[in-house]
């Protein structure tokens, strides 16, 4: 067996999502997220010697690690851009641990943030081959791609609109216990989801994340160093990653998606199995992603997520607590920082500081991240005990 | 197909490698690359075979036929120039030769079925001819 990944999360900082962030730059949101995370870890910025950042910082498309380092006033001995779309957050965590294990640094800050100004649509530029072979046919953007995957699941497995709507229902329901969530105080029933406008049939508006402004930062250190920290450390127990394609037209079959590798690999490395997981913090940009992720995780057979979702409950007090912060469907998606919200919630739960949404006796969390169209996948197992 | 040319619809951004594909479309047929070593068909166009990594592929005329793997009826277009054409259908077609591609599907919303047989129809909805797909005509 491959050598064990080791590392621990000692600090988290997350901005409350807002629909629009007037007068902010992405760099300032990055810095504010870092300030909160190092405050939580009980360290100063001089302790940071590793920095992982995302690729789509509005003010600086290139040289992102250097620009962020300069802005923060730090001089790390390891820095990099991690470019895995929605999987970037979880992808940063194991990369930080690996860099520490390799002796390149001791304390890594992983940070993602995004401004969102009214009237300004931040679009990542489409490049070839997608720009050449998808866009001219009327297919631009993620909504279309995820609609195509959802339709394929419905046709191949007979899953229904109600099956998918239940996933959005639980996200909204859980968001009612999170005052930071963009849909706090805005519950919605399955009927309301099904009655929301069709954006890209078969995807309804309320099956799609709300773009917001926000940010999240996570401090990673070695397990030894974490013992000196302010909080009970949260340990990285296992990681799995798999990338299979970029464009939806090149995706493998709906039953052979890359999470089929990355989730079992993370569980195996953590020497655990899916039934021993206390929190499922699963990337949810669309209902269809949660559907196939439940199947890839082995919680049900391929194609049978609908029965599974109908027969279980997914609140903090349910038999399968899922996205207790509301998921991105309830919390909001601050671009790539949305993926990091799944890591942050796992840390809250494993520390036992999730307040009125605390899962009793939470010991292990499965965290997933997904980029492009179920193309870039990362899975982590986090644990409250070493 | 369309009598509504709209210059702001995004045209393909053609590269030297993909040029033969678009020349084929101009001439009215679908061209695909086939690997000279493993004989697998390849799409998107490239200079290396993604199956055996051989560096020699040959452009050949393809059948232009396939099956509809999945589709979406677009009500809110991702590109503003497409909005006036909504609702319209895009889908993924698995070609008879093996590769799959994303395309515009010229089939009425109520007639769409999983795995239906489709064939290429060159369309000029925008300024550039494109390989759209329609229901395969019954052959006797
Ligand atoms: Zn080959």
């Amino acid at each position: 067996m491959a050598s064990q990944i080791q590392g621990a999360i000692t600090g988290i900082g997350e901005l409350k999502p807002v629909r629009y962030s007037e007068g902010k730059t992405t760099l300032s949101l990055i810095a504010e997220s870092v300030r909160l995370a190092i405050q939580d870890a009980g360290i100063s910025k001089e302790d940071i010697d590793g920095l992982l950042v995302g690729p789509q910082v509005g003010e600086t498309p290139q040289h992102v690690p250097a620009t962020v380092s300069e802005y923060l006033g730090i001089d790390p001995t390891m820095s990099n851009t991690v470019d895995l779309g929605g999987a970037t957050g979880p992808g940063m965590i194991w990369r930080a641990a690996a860099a520490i294990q390799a002796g390149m640094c001791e304390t890594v800050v992983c940070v993602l943030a995004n401004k969102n100004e009214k009237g300004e649509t931040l679009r990542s530029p489409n490049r070839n081959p997608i720009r050449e072979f998808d866009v001219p046919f009327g297919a631009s953007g993620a909504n279309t791609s995820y609609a195509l995957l959802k339709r394929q699941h419905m046709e191949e497995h007979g899953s229904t609109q109600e099956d998918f709507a239940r996933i959005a229902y639980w996200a909204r329901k859980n968001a009612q216990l999170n005052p930071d969530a963009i849909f706090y105080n805005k519950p919605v029933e399955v009927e309301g989801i099904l009655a929301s406008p069709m954006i890209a049939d078969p995807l309804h508006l309320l099956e799609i994340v709300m773009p917001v402004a926000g940010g999240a930062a996570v401090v990673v250190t070695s397990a030894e160093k974490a013992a000196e920290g302010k909080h009970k450390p949260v340990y990285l127990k296992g990681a799995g990653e798999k990338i299979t394609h970029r464009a939806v037209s090149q995706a493998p079959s709906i039953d052979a998606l890359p999470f089929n590798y990355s989730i079992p690999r993370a569980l195996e490395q953590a020497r655990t199995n899916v039934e021993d997981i206390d929190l499922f913090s699963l990337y949810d940009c669309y209902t269809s992603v949660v559907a196939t992720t439940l199947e890839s995780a082995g919680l049900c057979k391929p194609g049978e997520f609908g029965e599974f979702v109908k027969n279980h409950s997914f609140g903090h007090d349910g038999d399968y607590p899922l996205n207790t912060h509301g998921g991105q469907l309830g919390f909001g998606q601050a671009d790539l920082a949305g993926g990091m919200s799944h890591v942050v919630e796992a840390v809250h739960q494993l520390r036992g500081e999730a307040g009125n949404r605390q899962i009793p006796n939470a010991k292990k969390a499965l965290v997933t991240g997904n980029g492009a169209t179920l193309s870039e996948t990362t899975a982590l197992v986090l644990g409250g005990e070493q | 197909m369309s009598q509504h040319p709209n210059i702001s619809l995004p045209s393909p951004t053609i590269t030297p490698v993909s040029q033969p594909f678009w020349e084929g479309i101009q001439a009215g047929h679908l061209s695909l690359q086939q690997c000279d070593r493993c004989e697998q068909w390849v799409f998107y166009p490239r200079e290396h075979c993604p199956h055996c990594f051989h560096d020699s592929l040959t452009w050949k005329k393809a059948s232009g036929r396939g099956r509809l793997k999945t589709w979406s009826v677009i009500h809110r277009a991702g590109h503003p120039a497409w909005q006036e054409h909504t609702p319209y259908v895009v889908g993924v077609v698995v070609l008879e030769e093996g590769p799959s591609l994303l395309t515009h599907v010229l089939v009425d919303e109520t007639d769409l079925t999983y795995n239906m047989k489709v064939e290429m129809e060159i369309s000029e909805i925008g300024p550039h001819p494109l390989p759209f797909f329609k229901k395969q005509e019954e052959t006797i």
Side-chain angles (χ1 to χ4, degrees), chain A residues 76-201:
Chain A
T77 57
M78 184 287 296
S79 72
N80 217 330
T81 304
V82 181
D83 180 8
L84 293 170
T88 300
M92 285 172 159
I93 304 298
W94 79 255
R95 282 172 173 76
I100 294 165
Q101 278 183 281
M104 295 303 293
C105 49
E106 286 191 316
T107 303
V108 182
V109 167
C110 310
V111 61
L112 293 162
N114 186 54
K115 68 171 179 165
N116 191 32
E117 283 172 25
K118 207 167 191 165
E120 180 201 42
T121 322
L122 279 179
R123 301 170 66 99
S124 43
N126 278 304
R127 298 279 156 76
N128 281 0
I130 281 179
R131 173 61 190 83
E132 181 175 11
F133 289 102
D134 291 9
V135 174
F137 296 85
S140 318
N143 292 343
T144 304
S145 299
Y146 284 97
L148 291 168
L149 285 184
K150 180 178 171 184
R151 170 59 63 193
Q152 200 189 339
H153 197 285
M154 292 172 83
E155 296 298 325
E156 287 197 15
H157 294 303
S159 51
T160 67
Q161 287 287 10
E162 287 76 17
D163 294 337
F164 289 93
R166 277 191 195 97
I167 290 167
Y169 161 78
W170 277 105
R172 277 294 186 101
K173 187 173 161 71
N174 288 345
Q176 304 317 306
L177 293 177
N178 184 358
D180 285 351
I182 201 86
F183 288 117
Y184 182 64
N185 274 334
K186 288 175 188 149
V188 65
E189 297 299 318
V190 168
E191 296 70 36
I193 294 156
L194 294 174
S196 66
M198 203 60 100
I199 301 300
D201 188 341

Side-chain angles (χ1 to χ4, degrees), chain B residues 5 13 29 42 69 71 87 92 105 114 134:
Chain B
T13 45
H29 59 257
V42 172
K69 183 184 180 185
W71 67 89
V92 175
V105 181
Y114 181 53
K134 63 175 185 181

Side-chain angles (χ1 to χ4, degrees), chain B:
Chain B
M1 168 251 176
S2 173
Q3 304 304 310
H4 313 288
N6 180 340
I7 50 155
S8 60
L9 283 172
S11 290
T13 45
I14 300 168
T15 68
V17 173
S18 65
Q19 184 72 32
F21 177 88
W22 294 108
E23 282 167 7
I25 297 302
Q26 289 279 4
H29 59 257
L30 186 74
S31 308
L32 290 177
Q33 292 169 295
Q34 190 177 24
C35 174
D36 293 341
R37 185 159 73 192
C38 75
E39 297 187 335
Q40 297 228 52
W41 295 82
V42 172
F43 186 85
Y44 304 104
R46 60 194 85 183
E47 287 194 291
H48 301 84
C49 171
H51 305 286
C52 73
F53 215 42
H54 189 58
D55 63 353
S56 165
L57 299 104
T58 301
W59 284 99
K60 293 181 181 169
K61 203 184 269 192
S63 69
R65 290 189 300 269
R67 285 179 183 270
L68 187 63
K69 183 184 180 185
T70 182
W71 67 89
S72 171
V73 185
I74 307 298
H75 295 272
R76 211 171 290 175
H79 190 287
W82 271 101
Q83 190 57 38
E84 64 174 283
H85 299 275
T86 58
Y88 61 86
V89 182
V90 297
V92 175
V93 169
V94 182
L95 299 166
E96 281 184 356
E97 290 79 6
S100 49
L101 50 74
L102 191 138
T103 187
H104 196 96
V105 181
L106 302 168
V107 176
D108 192 80
E109 206 179 309
T110 53
D111 293 335
L112 290 159
T113 55
Y114 181 53
N115 267 338
M116 72 187 290
K117 291 180 177 176
V118 291
E119 64 188 10
M120 187 185 69
E121 176 166 290
I122 306 283
S123 184
E124 294 192 36
I125 190 168
H128 199 284
L130 297 165
F132 287 10
F133 278 72
K134 63 175 185 181
K135 191 172 179 180
Q136 223 176 88
E137 275 161 25
E138 301 295 330
T139 47
I140 304 147

Side-chain angles (χ1 to χ4, degrees), chain A residues 261-273:
Chain A
Y261 170 85
S262 47
I263 295 175
R265 151 82 201 199
L267 292 167
E268 186 193 354
Q269 200 183 36
R271 300 191 180 93
T272 190
N273 64 71

Side-chain angles (χ1 to χ4, degrees), chain A residues 341-359:
Chain A
S341 79
H342 297 274
V343 175
V344 170
E345 176 66 4
V347 173
H348 284 310
Q349 291 286 357
L350 295 171
R351 281 181 182 173
E353 60 177 37
N356 62 350
R357 64 174 191 269
Q358 180 63 48
I359 298 165

